[in-house]
Amino acid sequence: FPAENIRNFSIIAHVDHGKSTLADRLLELTGTISSNHSHQQVLDKLNVERERGITTCSMFYKYKDKDYLLNLIDTPGHVDFNYEVSRSLVACQGTILLVDASQGIQAQTVANFFLAFNEGLTIIPVINKIDLPAAEPDRVINQVESTFELDTSEISLISAKSGLGVDKILPSVIEKIPPPSGDVNKPLKAFLFDSWYDTYVGVICLMEIVDGKLQKGDKIVSAYSEKMYEVIDIGIMHPEQFTTGYLHAGQVGYVVCSMKVAAEAHVGDTFYHIKNPVDPLPGFEPAKSMVFAGVFPIDTNEFNRLDESITKLTLNDASVSIQRETSMALGQGWRIGFLGTLHMDVFKQRLEEEHDANVIITQPTVPYKIVYRDGTAKLIRNPTEFPEPMELQNKLSELQEPMILATIILPEEYMGSIIDLCGSRRGEQIEYNYMDESRVIMKYSIPLAEIVTDFHDELKSRSSGYASFDYEDMGYQISDIVKMNVLINKKPVDALATILHRSQVANVGREWAKKLSEVIPKQLYEVIIQTTIGGKVIARETIPAMRKNVTAKCYGGDVTRNIELPQKAFYDFLSKG
Ligand code: GDP
Ligand code: MG
């Protein structure tokens, strides 16, 4: 296939707007899969097997008597994984922007549009679900024009479910999206955009051949590590690995080379032939963990088994960061960094379901930054690392917290309630616009810490499910944050320390003390629960001794004694949120 007969494209859409259904239809239409229904959501399935990431699928298609190779590059596309969407777009020259005819443009439609727009991709708008009784295609076409300034004169109206209009999609992909610009006669330049670990064949890389030609047996070098590898197997995904023995400029496919461990496959790396070094392509910023939590086995004897499970679960997920953590209260565990809370929930669920694990997960923390007067800075991923006020005296320049830029789209009748919500989460409105007579798009800057808890659920419940939300990283901002300790009988419990904005201390301090007093069972002695900031008590609760007798008196004298709190009390407290 000469480059002019290749198209590399993706489908971008808000969740549930029909991306997977359309992908299936296209695979059927090109005979890549048969059209019986056992094949539903093929690309998603490939992804799930791989735990997440980017899938590519090559299709062969005849158009106006010419044979084309069409490569569909797909990502699952949830808000936490926008960085994967942008990674996958690098290997495309164009994208189909799919919008649900009954729901119209939603927050992820906007976020994904801008990712594609900033990559300079050709964007083909398509309206889906026109079979639905609630479909309002004309209204959605207007939204597409006014929000994205896209030409809608030739817009496709389709039903991915019934197949109506789907036959128009691939011709417009060929006509509108430019072919890749690579040159097969130039030295090899291969771009690695995703990888996963397969138990049978080892590390499998997805690569785009930007220039040149790569064949089985070739010796290639990583521009990142300068390590040499030999290509063992190479081919296209169709939809699973299909050996071709080579890939040419403009193609995307899989490459198995002599990589031993997943960590050798650096996403964003450029590979070249050993005798022909080239300048590397601009790489990617590594995925940043934005939410950190401590994970501890409920039964401490389970530590080794869980360590294995966690290693297995994260083998393919370079966006997870792991460190060992030891807590006085909870014993040995791990501090794990995730892209967001959804990512964390998925991880926890898999750990419980697939690895039969019982774990305590501590309150999630975002990475706070301490900037010292000498210009150095320290990232705090664990509240226990946060210095006490005394330690910061004369050294501190400022404290900062991570911010996000939220895009919220909603019917105007819910505006008041959502503005209240954002305000209560320390959000600041940056702009709002009407997308049409009744739909509003708002932008807010909000501290990341405020959305990692229940922001999304709250947004949905205040808008009867109609508001949609997406966010992007906005860097750090100065903030008046403090560390709150929880003391039980005067002893701080490390696993319960938390970092808060000063304005929240009184409420959270009271709430936590109260909630703890409800989950800790009565003991033989009195239990005093205190929440404190820099030694100052915010709230106090007392759990009276089981019965007033002599024994209690005996214990009573030594309130600083390290009491053994049952793990269950922590579990109850933390899982209640
Ligand atoms: P994705 O999240 O964008 O991948 O969306 P899916 O492809 O999983 O589709 C979400 C839901 O919408 C599924 O229940 C589909 O069956 C349904 N759906 C997709 N396309 C259409 C369509 O054209 N018409 C109707 N009525 N439903 C559709
Ligand atoms: Mg899907």
Side-chain angles (χ1 to χ4, degrees), residues 167-222:
D167 56 330
K168 303 273 182 350
I169 301 285
L170 294 178
S172 72
V173 163
I174 291 172
E175 302 262 354
K176 294 187 174 141
I177 296 175
S181 62
D183 184 346
V184 71
N185 297 314
K186 280 193 183 166
L188 172 74
K189 214 177 227 193
F191 187 67
L192 189 160
F193 60 91
D194 202 14
S195 73
W196 68 97
Y197 189 84
D198 182 286
T199 351
Y200 299 106
V201 301
V203 183
I204 302 179
C205 302
L206 287 182
M207 292 197 196
E208 176 198 7
I209 311 301
V210 177
D211 282 319
K213 182 178 174 183
L214 182 59
Q215 301 192 58
K216 184 175 171 178
D218 282 1
K219 296 208 165 53
I220 53 173
V221 177
S222 148

Side-chain angles (χ1 to χ4, degrees), residues 87 137 247 261 361 451 454 472 517 533 553:
R87 237 167 63 187
L247 288 172
V261 292
I361 298 193
I451 65 151
D454 58 346
E472 59 195 279
S517 71
I533 302 259
K553 280 257 152 37

Side-chain angles (χ1 to χ4, degrees), residues 15-16 18-21 41 44 74-76:
V15 64
D16 282 343
K19 186 162 78 111
S20 303
T21 311
Q41 311 223 320
D44 284 3
D74 186 57
T75 48

Side-chain angles (χ1 to χ4, degrees), residues 12-17 77 79 82 85 95-100 103-117 123-127 140 143-144 147-148 150 407 409 435 439 441 443 468-471:
I12 52 180
H14 190 75
V15 64
D16 282 343
H17 281 199
V79 283
N82 274 344
V85 177
T95 186
I96 293 169
L97 180 74
L98 194 67
V99 190
D100 182 321
Q103 298 208 330
I105 290 176
Q106 299 289 324
Q108 277 171 266
T109 322
V110 175
N112 288 337
F113 169 83
F114 283 107
L115 293 176
F117 184 80
I123 298 166
I124 304 176
V126 171
I127 313 286
V140 178
Q143 291 180 351
V144 169
T147 313
F148 303 137
L150 286 173
T407 301
I409 293 182
M435 266 176 28
R439 283 204 162 253
I441 174 164
K443 299 248 181 200
S468 67
F469 162 74
D470 201 304
Y471 68 90

Side-chain angles (χ1 to χ4, degrees), residues 343-553:
H343 191 198
M344 181 172 98
D345 291 345
V346 171
F347 178 87
K348 179 172 184 235
Q349 199 182 342
R350 298 197 58 182
L351 199 59
E352 284 172 351
E353 281 172 12
E354 295 166 29
H355 297 266
D356 198 21
N358 285 303
V359 291
I360 293 177
I361 298 193
T362 62
Q363 182 89 355
T365 311
V366 301
Y368 294 95
K369 200 186 270 182
I370 299 179
V371 182
Y372 292 97
R373 285 188 193 172
D374 63 8
T376 58
K378 186 180 175 196
L379 270 194
I380 303 288
R381 300 178 181 89
N382 186 340
T384 58
E385 295 163 3
F386 198 88
E388 293 298 329
M390 264 168 35
E391 297 169 59
L392 286 174
Q393 244 171 26
N394 303 324
K395 285 193 210 143
L396 179 70
S397 168
E398 61 195 40
L399 297 169
Q400 300 179 348
E401 69 177 323
M403 304 294 293
I404 56 124
L405 177 64
T407 301
I408 301 167
I409 293 182
L410 71 169
E412 100 185 297
E413 62 260 40
Y414 299 107
M415 235 172 109
S417 162
I418 300 302
I419 288 177
D420 283 350
L421 170 66
C422 294
S424 74
R425 301 299 171 96
R426 299 189 283 131
E428 279 188 29
Q429 195 175 67
I430 293 182
E431 60 175 48
Y432 84 89
N433 283 302
Y434 276 84
M435 266 176 28
D436 57 25
E437 319 78 64
S438 62
R439 283 204 162 253
V440 179
I441 174 164
M442 305 196 291
K443 299 248 181 200
Y444 267 88
S445 107
I446 308 180
L448 177 65
E450 299 287 344
I451 65 151
V452 299
T453 45
D454 58 346
F455 183 79
H456 198 242
D457 294 341
E458 191 63 22
L459 187 84
K460 286 281 173 198
S461 84
R462 286 187 187 214
S463 66
S464 316
Y466 286 115
S468 67
F469 162 74
D470 201 304
Y471 68 90
E472 59 195 279
D473 189 3
M474 231 178 109
Y476 278 81
Q477 182 174 301
I478 297 185
S479 178
D480 190 8
I481 47 177
V482 290
K483 170 181 168 187
M484 184 176 89
N485 284 313
V486 174
L487 275 55
I488 300 202
N489 286 357
K490 301 275 161 73
K491 280 218 130 177
V493 184
D494 57 0
L496 295 180
T498 188
I499 299 172
L500 296 169
H501 189 257
R502 197 179 297 275
S503 63
Q504 299 163 319
V505 165
N507 275 338
V508 178
R510 221 175 302 127
E511 209 179 287
W512 279 38
K514 178 124 204 319
K515 223 178 338 171
L516 273 168
S517 71
E518 286 159 8
V519 296
I520 297 175
K522 278 191 181 179
Q523 309 286 325
L524 286 172
Y525 40 85
E526 186 179 69
V527 177
I528 299 164
I529 301 156
Q530 292 166 308
T531 47
T532 65
I533 302 259
K536 192 174 149 251
V537 177
I538 307 298
R540 176 192 163 116
E541 295 281 338
T542 309
I543 305 175
M546 242 183 252
R547 48 199 158 91
K548 291 199 178 81
N549 63 12
V550 198
T551 359
K553 280 257 152 37

Side-chain angles (χ1 to χ4, degrees), residues 61-309:
Y61 187 66
K62 211 179 184 87
Y63 178 62
K64 292 190 174 164
D65 283 334
K66 277 196 200 138
D67 288 314
Y68 287 88
L69 172 63
L70 307 177
N71 298 311
L72 173 57
I73 299 166
D74 186 57
T75 48
H78 178 276
V79 283
D80 282 353
F81 304 135
N82 274 344
Y83 90 106
E84 282 194 341
V85 177
S86 44
R87 237 167 63 187
S88 69
L89 292 178
V90 171
C92 298
Q93 284 73 44
T95 186
I96 293 169
L97 180 74
L98 194 67
V99 190
D100 182 321
S102 65
Q103 298 208 330
I105 290 176
Q106 299 289 324
Q108 277 171 266
T109 322
V110 175
N112 288 337
F113 169 83
F114 283 107
L115 293 176
F117 184 80
N118 292 334
E119 274 305 320
L121 301 194
T122 302
I123 298 166
I124 304 176
V126 171
I127 313 286
N128 188 30
K129 305 201 190 181
I130 54 163
D131 60 294
L132 285 179
E136 297 179 278
D138 291 337
R139 176 170 181 198
V140 178
I141 290 173
N142 281 334
Q143 291 180 351
V144 169
E145 274 174 11
S146 65
T147 313
F148 303 137
E149 296 171 8
L150 286 173
D151 173 20
T152 57
S153 57
E154 292 173 47
I155 197 165
S156 296
L157 302 179
I158 66 163
S159 166
K161 195 170 180 181
S162 75
L164 180 75
V166 172
D167 56 330
K168 303 273 182 350
I169 301 285
L170 294 178
S172 72
V173 163
I174 291 172
E175 302 262 354
K176 294 187 174 141
I177 296 175
S181 62
D183 184 346
V184 71
N185 297 314
K186 280 193 183 166
L188 172 74
K189 214 177 227 193
F191 187 67
L192 189 160
F193 60 91
D194 202 14
S195 73
W196 68 97
Y197 189 84
D198 182 286
T199 351
Y200 299 106
V201 301
V203 183
I204 302 179
C205 302
L206 287 182
M207 292 197 196
E208 176 198 7
I209 311 301
V210 177
D211 282 319
K213 182 178 174 183
L214 182 59
Q215 301 192 58
K216 184 175 171 178
D218 282 1
K219 296 208 165 53
I220 53 173
V221 177
S222 148
Y224 178 88
S225 67
E226 299 187 338
K227 271 195 199 162
M228 203 265 288
Y229 299 97
E230 183 175 334
V231 178
I232 295 164
D233 185 19
I234 182 165
I236 55 173
M237 301 298 291
H238 186 64
E240 302 195 46
Q241 283 119 268
F242 179 86
T243 304
T244 58
Y246 64 89
L247 288 172
H248 280 188
Q251 296 192 334
V252 293
Y254 75 91
V255 177
V256 178
C257 53
S258 44
M259 283 183 189
K260 296 274 177 331
V261 292
E264 286 176 84
H266 273 272
V267 161
D269 198 357
T270 303
F271 289 80
Y272 52 84
H273 277 136
I274 186 156
K275 297 213 173 80
N276 241 329
V278 295
D279 289 335
L281 297 150
F284 297 115
E285 282 198 24
K288 266 188 281 181
S289 301
M290 293 312 280
V291 175
F292 295 82
V295 176
F296 297 91
I298 291 185
D299 175 357
T300 49
N301 294 322
E302 292 267 274
F303 180 83
N304 287 330
R305 189 179 74 81
L306 276 183
D307 197 44
E308 235 171 75
S309 301

